[in-house]
Amino acid sequence: MQRRKLAFLLVSLLALAPVVAQQQDADKPKPNKKRVTATLTDVPATPTPRPTTAPTPAPTTVPESSSASAAAPASAAAPAATAGTTPRDAADAPRDADTTTTDRPGFGERIEVTEVQLDVVVRDKGKAVTGLGPEDFVVTEEGRPVEVTSARFYGAPEELEATGEGEVERADRYFILLFHDRSRDAPAIRPLLLDAGQQARKWAQEQRLPNDQVAVMTYDVRLKIYTDFTRDQSQIVDAISRAVTSKKEPDRAAGRSKEPVRPMADSPSLLLNLPAGDDLARASRVFEKTLALLGRAAEGIVGRKNLMLFSVGFGDVEPTGLWVPDPRYYPTLERNLNDGNVAVYSIDLFGARRGSPAGPGIASSLSSIAGDTAGLYYETFTTFATPMKEVSKDTAGYYLLSYRSEYPRGTSGYREVKVDTREQGYEVRSRKGYLYGTKEDPLLVPDDEEDVAPEEPSAGRG
């Protein structure tokens, strides 16, 4: 009898074992089975520089005597637009060729992963430093260090002579010549503009390298464009002559902003990303907003763009004689120029006449905009040929760095960036930040301004 009870108890325990096991499994915490994935969105192909695969050589320096004629910044990609491209084509392309976007869902958060590209000038006692690799740079974004994924020097002699055919990539430099005409306010500026134009023509004929792309513009009460980027020397020289003598600019279908614009063959285009006719006149009635527009128009062209600004200054001066950046316009100007990789080389029109420093006052605006965009300010010289020659030397080679950055989808803003080298003692200049997300519109007009096109005889601000 006792054996039967023992056998019954044993059978009951064996029958209950699976139930107990299931209950214990139910009581255990379940692992998180959410899968974290990274998927790439379908975006138009964006040209990016080729990563350096060869071992990084030791840093070297290139004498200025050779770099001015045998080293120059390169186009990191094919031109942003070619002949026959329509504004619709431009709208379908990425707004900023310096960034690519990745969609990375995970844990319920949508993240944009952006590839940021920075153009960096590194010099040692006036000579271009070559041979640096990603590990030689220190980059911080909003004060946080980031990992540089690639670093390439643009300006090899063989690239400057390349035609774009064959194995060697063609190297282009981009120059925007902007003559700021304030002769309505000060008639003495007119002969200075004519002198600057004469030296600019000589520069185009004698110092411009074969692959240098040049655009020519003036500003009086609005922006006037005499040529888009082109390598045609005769067209560049003619555009400079027309600009400094206030001749009528080429017709861009005034009043018909939707008119298709055909850029120069084998050259990228600023015009494709700018309004036309009355729309451009309204958008450029404030000088600072005009510079912001140029920064936005240039962002689709990969690489460094060099803006030679011939001016006596812009904005307003306080009763104390000091120039103060206008908070309505200057922050947008600075951010858009940096976002478009546009470095301003300010050339003081009065510098050639005085032969002395500009000192305080409105000329301080030229120093500020140069410093805020990784350019240079030229205030003292005897002839305009001197600063133009110096600009050619300073732009004779730069690095294009890449790194990846993240931000939550749906957000936007501006991130400050600082670049340095691990080797101390070098002069390092780079753009100071970039816009991310939905970018602010430089065309927006404050409520206290009329949204009308300026009349030619009237005086304009700045």
Side-chain angles (χ1 to χ4, degrees), residues 32-46:
N32 187 353
K33 295 184 179 180
K34 179 177 287 186
R35 179 176 297 175
V36 180
T37 61
T39 59
L40 294 176
T41 56
D42 293 330
V43 297
T46 302

Side-chain angles (χ1 to χ4, degrees), residues 70-261:
S75 168
T82 57
T85 304
T86 65
R88 180 179 297 276
D89 297 327
D92 293 338
R95 288 185 59 84
D96 187 350
D98 290 342
T99 62
T100 57
T101 303
T102 300
D103 178 27
R104 192 190 67 182
F107 300 106
E109 185 178 20
R110 308 290 284 182
I111 297 293
E112 299 285 349
V113 182
T114 300
E115 182 182 21
V116 181
Q117 296 183 352
L118 304 171
D119 60 283
V120 184
V121 175
V122 184
R123 310 188 75 79
D124 182 20
K125 298 178 181 178
K127 301 176 182 178
V129 177
T130 63
L132 299 179
E135 68 280 357
D136 296 309
F137 290 92
V138 179
V139 179
T140 58
E141 182 180 284
E142 296 292 327
R144 298 183 298 272
V146 298
E147 179 185 0
V148 179
T149 55
S150 69
R152 183 187 169 190
F153 183 80
Y154 286 87
E158 63 271 14
E159 293 176 334
L160 298 175
E161 303 298 332
T163 61
E165 301 177 357
E167 298 181 356
V168 180
E169 182 179 352
R170 192 186 84 197
D172 290 2
R173 291 190 299 181
Y174 299 100
F175 295 97
I176 304 171
L177 274 56
L178 177 57
F179 298 92
H180 188 188
D181 185 359
R182 303 196 67 177
S183 57
R184 295 178 186 274
D185 304 322
I189 293 177
R190 171 58 58 187
L192 298 176
L193 278 173
L194 294 175
D195 187 14
Q198 181 181 5
Q199 296 301 326
R201 289 194 297 270
K202 288 184 178 181
W203 171 84
Q205 294 168 331
E206 300 172 5
Q207 297 186 42
R208 189 187 68 87
L209 300 178
N211 287 335
D212 287 349
Q213 306 268 7
V214 180
V216 180
M217 309 176 183
T218 61
Y219 183 91
D220 47 14
V221 296
R222 64 177 178 87
L223 182 65
K224 299 177 181 179
I225 303 171
Y226 288 86
T227 183
D228 201 349
F229 279 130
T230 179
R231 294 191 293 165
D232 186 325
Q233 180 166 293
S234 61
Q235 181 169 339
I236 296 169
V237 172
D238 180 68
I240 295 172
S241 297
R242 295 176 63 85
V244 297
T245 54
S246 300
K247 296 290 181 62
K248 181 178 176 57
E249 72 271 30
D251 184 21
R252 289 190 59 213
R256 300 197 300 274
S257 61
K258 302 302 181 183
E259 184 76 11
V261 177

